[in-house]
Amino acid sequence: MMNGRTGRRSAGRGRKRAASAALCLLGGALTATAVGTSPAASLTPPVSITADDLSTWQTNGIVWSMAATGNTVYAGGTFSTVRPPDAAAGTSESPAVNFAAFDAATGAPNGCSLSFTLSSGTATVRALTLSPDGATLYAGGQFGSVNGVGVSNIVAIDTATCTPRNDFKIAVSATVRAIAVTDDTVYFGGDFNSVGGQTRQKFAAVTTGAALLPFTANADEVARAVEVAPDGQHVFLGGDFLTVNGTSSHALAVVDATTGAVTTAYPGFIPNTSTVQDITTDATGFYTANEGTGGGVFDGRIALDLDDFQQRWRDTCLGATQAVLVHSGVLYSGSHAHDCASMGEFSDQPRHHLLAQSVDDPKLLPWFPDTNDGIGEPVGPRVMAQTDTGGHHYLWVGGEFTTVNGAAQQGLTRFADGPDTGAPWVPNVQLSTVVPGQVEVNWQTSSDTDDGLLTYRIYKDGATTPVYTTTGSSLFWDRPQLRWTDTAVAAGETHSYRVTASDGTNTSAKSPALSATVASAAEAYPAKVLADGASLYWRYDEGTSTFAADTGAGLDNGFLRNAPSYRQTPAAIAGASTAIGFNGTDEYAYSNRRHAKPGAFSVETWFRTTTTKGGKLIGFGNLTMQNSTNYDKHVYMTNDGKLVFGVHDGSTRTITTPATYNDGTWHHVVATQGTGGVALYVDGVLRASNSSYRTNQNFEGYWRVGGDTLSGWPSAPASAFFAGQLDETAVYPTALSGTQIAAHYALRTG
């Protein structure tokens, strides 16, 4: 077991979630619109560990290894001091030379102190594992003495006395990185080629009295993980190697527990650019943590069945997985995952360092505490351990991070099965009175770091009892729009609304009160847009938030990035609606929902600018938090103010307006593609077309407004981001006709 994980030895107990699934209708003719997507609706198994970090002492360096039993957690690594939870680096420090022991329930040192040193060079403790009875702690790494007792990169510690055992000594020629222990055997792996003066390349086994065993599993490159199968008959090996005992089996192998002979090889199973950093097991499977570099990288997790040692699933998240641990049917992992789009999860997000998945399904579960990358070789988390004490289950994490959940915390942190103290974010809310005789309450589902299904309550006109209650699913990267339509109103009345989000234990504050006056007649322009079938329709009437509400039935809301200028007036359309302003540098919006390649489509928006640097008004790209690497179906402005509509069908295909439109007045642009090719309309009039361009690039992506890369496109402007105001943005699943487009433009004055 690499770095002393105790993944299969603790049962745990789940915390209860009380999120109601019922819809509570307390008055009036009330209706609800269902969520378009339910990213976290299936929460089996539930994540029993909260994302709320507990007060824990810190180290001044990297924690590489941990082991836990009962009320004690041992930590090893490359550090020299520990300090209290709130102490800044360099203050209130106590000596702790590459090793410390802690009370699992309080996070404070427990008095067991050992000093791991090396006569020359840097000592480090890379592996800690307890014997099944907990009486002995085995430590491996690069060190020559422990509390002044001479050893050679591996040592056995009597846990009752916290002293090295003199009856366990054997020379290991180089660093030990992984240890697994049974009642009578100690398996270990690392950089070495000799153990006890005999050849053992990277893996070896000794008795609990340190006598070298015949077990031989010679590998050609570094060993990083060792785990014994629950049946005791097999050992799982992980590392950088290409062969074991001459058999091709890159990074992973299963060997006989007595002889070391390869029983299952994995040639080509893991790319040669990737390695296995950690292995853990439960009653039915074993699980690998993988790290890759260069092209063809594989950084995710693999689950394999114990009955045949074959793959159950693998995920393809990018981001160097370092540690895995199983608790109550959930696989927890430490990595710096930043792109899981290949498995239908988040794309190009800031790094997320702690994740959870079912042991039966690679889909990410709603558990997202976080660290930063930290110091050293920065990855963040490097090791996990777990234990039960005092009626609670604790998950400890060690590594090189210096923050946890946004607050300063170095080297160590811990989580438990309660209490759950983190409330969901306050919902972002927007009201719409487009349809006469009713008020639509739209909100962006909230984010909660350890709950994917939240309960929302709507309060009307200052009442203390909610008028409507519903549930909705969300994840930090997928926050669908919800809508409730209040029909218990009359034209001319003004009503206010507030919304809360609850995880069943904690409830957010109420959203700021928003008021709306019920319309007596439909607004002509939005009514026409909706009647013509807009699948996405952003009117930009929100206040300060990340939420661009979709006025249409598709509920395809957007994220507003980097605080654009809200509620700009005058807007493009007559009435109470407002516009949004982008700075031309880093402000933009993208659709919450990822879309398949459209066939026929139209994009529509109003714009106003005086920029001489151009920029993208609207387009389709494969990324959300960075500039896209696939991008087309876009309308952009050149430096001189002309408009270009482009698609990619193997080559860049564009049409361009002859006139310029950066004159500081509102203009209406619609670009279409269908069986008749492409067309570009400005202010209700066809300005350019080409009947030959009938297809576009095939990739899944997001609608982006206000900016995205334009590299490689004709007449690309100085800025890929648009400086100016936008309004009334819509996307259609059809190519609008010239007549429809002219009608839209004609309705601009009401």
Side-chain angles (χ1 to χ4, degrees), residues 55-59 82-85 92 94 102 107-109 409-410 412:
S55 177
T56 307
W57 275 56
Q58 310 172 72
T59 63
V82 294
R83 64 183 187 274
S92 304
S94 301
F102 301 90
Q409 176 70 25
Q410 185 174 1
L412 286 168

Side-chain angles (χ1 to χ4, degrees), residues 506-525:
N506 307 286
T507 300
S508 74
K510 291 178 180 177
S511 63
L514 295 180
S515 298
T517 300
V518 183
S520 59
E523 293 183 58
Y525 184 88

Side-chain angles (χ1 to χ4, degrees), residues 665-718:
T665 61
W666 280 109
H667 293 284
H668 176 240
V669 60
V670 180
T672 71
Q673 185 180 44
T675 56
V678 295
L680 181 59
Y681 296 80
V682 182
D683 295 338
V685 177
L686 178 66
R687 308 293 181 172
S689 64
N690 191 306
S691 61
S692 300
Y693 306 158
R694 299 178 181 177
T695 61
N696 56 73
Q697 190 174 351
N698 186 13
F699 64 92
E700 290 189 346
Y702 306 83
W703 292 108
R704 291 185 48 147
V705 174
D708 198 2
T709 187
L710 285 164
S711 176
W713 283 82
S715 302

Side-chain angles (χ1 to χ4, degrees), residues 4 19 84 93 226 239 305 342 442 499 516 527 535 591 628 740:
E93 293 182 324
V226 181
D305 290 320
S342 61
N442 298 283
V499 183
S535 57
S591 63
S628 296
Q740 289 174 306

